Amino acid sequence: MKKRYLHIVLILTSVSIVQLSTAARKKSEIPLVPPTSYLTESELDIWNDPAFQKQFADSYIAETEIEPRVTEDEVEKMMDVMELMQADDLDGAVVLLQKEINRNEAVSAVFDFTLANIYFQQEKLEQAAAGYEKAVSAEKYPKFRRAWRNLGLIYIRQGEFKKALTPLTRVVELDGGDAITYGLLGYAYSSVENHIPAESAYRMAILLDPATLDWKMGLARSFFKQGRYAEAAALCGQLIKDQPEKADLWLLQANAYIGLNQPMKAAEIYEIVNSMGESSSKSLKILGDIYFNEELYEMATNSYIAAMKKDPEYDLKRAVQSAKVLNSRGALQETRRLVEFIETQFSGRLDTDTRKDILKVRARLAVADGSGDDEEVRVLKEIVELDPQDGEALILLGQHAARTGNTEKAIFYYEQAAYLEAYEADAKVRHAQLLVGQGKYDDAIPLLRRAQLLKPRDNIQEYLEQVERVAKNR
């Protein structure tokens, strides 16, 4: 029996094997003032404080309070469970544990804990969490540190970071604050956007385990999320010296330089990551945006295309928007190259709206690079065929007809656009401008007034007043 008892103690670490004697307790109550000290008298007061003396005396006691006790009968049952587990009969162990738990609600929390561990091993996370929660409940053993730790791990695994904070904090309160616990606390706090305690937790993890990169990266991310970009960049720089192959460190440092408004430094780092073969679609898109803002349009286009090549599911609205902004800057060659790549690379994914947006870019290219009115009209008509209620295309067709002297067709397109609520105001302004050009001021005034009623604008109001004055003085 003694041999079996010792065996179960070693396995479960759940039975007290050291007790503090009464004599030892009495001895420890002597004032613990060292005979020779370099401390001042006020600093020595702590040694005579009763609370401190009790705490010091308790330090002689084995840490048995964090483990629930088991009776001799429960030890026997647990030995049977362990034998099943050693035989890899986990289902049998579950049946035996559940039988004991159902038979006696007051059975040791060790049974709930062991059952939860088996569920954890079997990836039955919900059932495992329920078991750990029961083990640390007020009815069982609230100081059960191992159960709190595993409960925290379950919540982290499930992405329940807010829920993970309580069990992990309880582990620390129960003097179980090792590097992993503090590191996971930092991760959980960071995940719920509570970055100051995340920073503190990561610092403790680093103090206890300075060799693990994850905790240092967590601290760098905490700096970044607090807007402390210089500290984030500096820490990443230190870590990169030791781990230059870690792309995550380079990317975090690049983001920090963007936060410091040093985009070209960030671009250098993104290029390094690209040369390492570790760039992502996102990093290449950011690199393209940096080059665009620096008016390096060819390099921006190269980066945008590289980003799209990386991701078959690339956001096409974002891709077309990149083409639009390039066109707006007069980068016609780059715009055309990007549009052609989008049409070729994603031909099977182009829905009606995206196709319309691309055609509008092509129409503007036709006007800007002198491809001719015919090309512009062809593209715009293709847009209207795709969507007869595209007010923007109708207005552009009206403007083209007006430029080429086809007044009736221009008015037709403007009136078609005016039937669409979102485009009525702009269509009526264009129509009015056409009439003013023909000297038909009285006909233009109602259109301008209607446009102002729908969409008040200072410049249109000034234009209306000018037309009214001319009409009145005729």
Side-chain angles (χ1 to χ4, degrees):
M1 173 60 196
K2 288 183 178 178
K3 186 177 180 181
R4 297 187 79 198
Y5 183 81
L6 178 60
H7 187 67
I8 192 66
V9 168
L10 292 174
I11 293 174
L12 298 175
T13 322
S14 61
V15 179
S16 174
I17 59 173
V18 179
Q19 297 291 332
L20 186 66
S21 68
T22 304
R25 285 187 180 277
K26 289 182 178 178
K27 265 191 174 182
S28 67
E29 292 170 0
I30 299 171
L32 300 171
V33 181
T36 303
S37 175
Y38 297 101
L39 302 177
T40 65
E41 288 187 13
S42 61
E43 289 170 331
L44 289 172
D45 285 345
I46 184 64
W47 292 84
N48 295 315
D49 183 81
F52 175 81
Q53 289 185 26
K54 182 179 184 305
Q55 185 181 38
F56 187 85
D58 288 345
S59 70
Y60 284 99
I61 306 173
E63 290 186 313
T64 55
E65 287 192 0
I66 61 169
E67 298 286 344
R69 296 180 181 275
V70 291
T71 66
E72 288 190 15
D73 180 60
E74 289 172 340
V75 169
E76 291 290 334
K77 297 295 183 185
M78 285 305 304
M79 283 300 301
D80 293 337
V81 170
M82 290 300 165
E83 287 172 5
L84 289 169
M85 292 176 67
Q86 288 169 359
D88 203 25
D89 185 4
L90 295 183
D91 291 337
V94 167
V95 170
L96 186 53
L97 286 165
Q98 287 179 329
K99 180 181 177 181
E100 288 302 312
I101 292 169
N102 294 337
R103 184 179 66 84
N104 178 14
E105 290 186 2
V107 71
S108 172
V110 169
F111 285 77
D112 302 286
F113 174 80
T114 306
L115 179 60
N117 269 2
I118 295 174
Y119 284 140
F120 199 167
Q121 186 177 342
Q122 295 175 330
E123 295 290 322
K124 298 176 180 178
L125 301 186
E126 293 290 342
Q127 291 161 279
Y132 293 132
E133 287 170 354
K134 188 175 180 182
V136 298
S137 66
E139 295 76 21
K140 284 298 180 82
Y141 207 79
K143 292 185 178 181
F144 199 168
R145 191 171 72 194
R146 286 185 298 150
W148 282 116
R149 187 193 306 277
N150 286 4
L151 182 58
L153 292 175
I154 288 281
Y155 288 146
I156 292 289
R157 280 280 301 275
Q158 293 177 316
E160 298 277 1
F161 302 111
K162 188 173 182 180
K163 289 174 71 173
L165 294 173
T166 297
L168 292 174
T169 301
R170 285 291 290 140
V171 174
V172 173
E173 291 171 349
L174 293 167
D175 297 326
D178 58 6
I180 292 176
T181 301
Y182 278 116
L184 291 177
L185 262 174
Y187 180 61
Y189 274 120
S190 180
S191 297
V192 298
E193 304 295 326
N194 200 344
H195 303 301
I196 294 177
E199 176 188 344
S200 299
Y202 279 130
R203 286 187 184 278
M204 286 299 298
I206 294 167
L207 180 66
L208 296 171
D209 179 16
T212 297
L213 177 64
D214 287 346
W215 314 143
K216 297 172 185 176
M217 285 196 65
L219 180 60
R221 290 192 181 98
S222 177
F223 287 151
F224 180 82
K225 290 180 179 179
Q226 292 178 65
R228 292 157 62 181
Y229 303 120
E231 291 168 90
L235 179 53
C236 286
Q238 293 173 18
L239 299 177
I240 286 168
K241 289 178 183 178
D242 297 327
Q243 309 256 3
E245 75 285 357
K246 293 288 186 182
D248 285 352
L249 288 171
W250 289 101
L251 290 171
L252 184 57
Q253 188 180 51
N255 291 339
Y257 279 125
I258 290 175
L260 289 169
N261 198 27
Q262 298 180 40
M264 290 309 291
K265 269 195 173 183
E268 290 175 18
I269 295 172
Y270 283 129
E271 291 288 12
I272 291 172
V273 173
N274 196 28
S275 68
M276 293 166 61
E278 296 291 338
S279 58
S280 65
S281 178
K282 181 179 179 181
S283 68
L284 289 166
K285 168 64 172 62
I286 295 172
L287 180 60
D289 290 343
I290 292 172
Y291 286 144
F292 174 83
N293 290 332
E294 296 296 322
E295 299 184 3
L296 301 169
Y297 300 129
E298 183 178 357
M299 296 172 72
T301 303
N302 292 339
S303 296
Y304 290 143
I305 289 175
M308 286 185 275
K309 286 180 178 178
K310 280 271 184 184
D311 182 9
E313 300 300 318
Y314 194 88
D315 185 350
L316 292 184
K317 289 189 181 299
R318 175 177 288 183
V320 175
Q321 181 61 28
S322 298
K324 287 180 179 179
V325 294
L326 281 168
N327 189 52
S328 69
R329 293 288 183 91
L332 304 183
Q333 182 178 345
E334 290 79 7
T335 303
R336 191 177 298 281
R337 185 157 69 95
L338 189 56
V339 166
E340 288 174 353
F341 179 84
I342 294 169
E343 289 180 317
T344 302
Q345 185 79 359
F346 302 105
S347 58
R349 285 184 55 203
L350 297 178
D351 58 23
T352 300
D353 289 340
T354 306
R355 181 65 184 160
K356 282 195 311 179
D357 286 341
I358 290 174
L359 287 171
K360 287 174 185 176
V361 174
R362 281 197 172 279
R364 292 185 177 93
L365 279 172
V367 173
D369 67 6
S371 300
D373 290 339
D374 291 342
E375 173 66 10
E376 180 188 2
V377 171
R378 184 192 69 77
V379 172
L380 289 171
K381 284 184 175 179
E382 188 175 345
I383 294 171
V384 174
E385 285 176 11
L386 283 170
D387 182 6
Q389 294 191 328
D390 190 310
E392 183 181 1
L394 289 168
I395 290 172
L396 288 171
L397 281 169
Q399 289 178 272
H400 176 271
R403 285 200 308 272
T404 56
N406 196 334
T407 304
E408 289 185 8
K409 185 170 284 190
I411 292 174
F412 169 78
Y413 285 126
Y414 290 144
E415 288 179 342
Q416 289 295 110
Y419 284 121
L420 305 171
E421 183 177 347
Y423 296 94
E424 182 182 356
D426 291 340
K428 288 191 179 300
V429 169
R430 295 294 183 185
H431 190 174
Q433 290 172 333
L434 177 62
L435 294 174
V436 168
Q438 295 177 317
K440 299 178 180 179
Y441 305 107
D442 292 332
D443 293 336
I445 289 172
L447 295 173
L448 291 171
R449 286 175 178 170
R450 174 63 179 170
Q452 275 299 88
L453 181 65
L454 294 170
K455 187 178 176 181
R457 287 166 285 184
D458 291 342
N459 62 324
I460 301 301
Q461 181 62 36
E462 291 176 8
Y463 183 63
L464 169 61
E465 291 170 359
Q466 290 173 359
V467 173
E468 287 176 330
R469 282 196 296 272
V470 172
K472 186 176 180 180
N473 293 328
R474 285 178 60 192

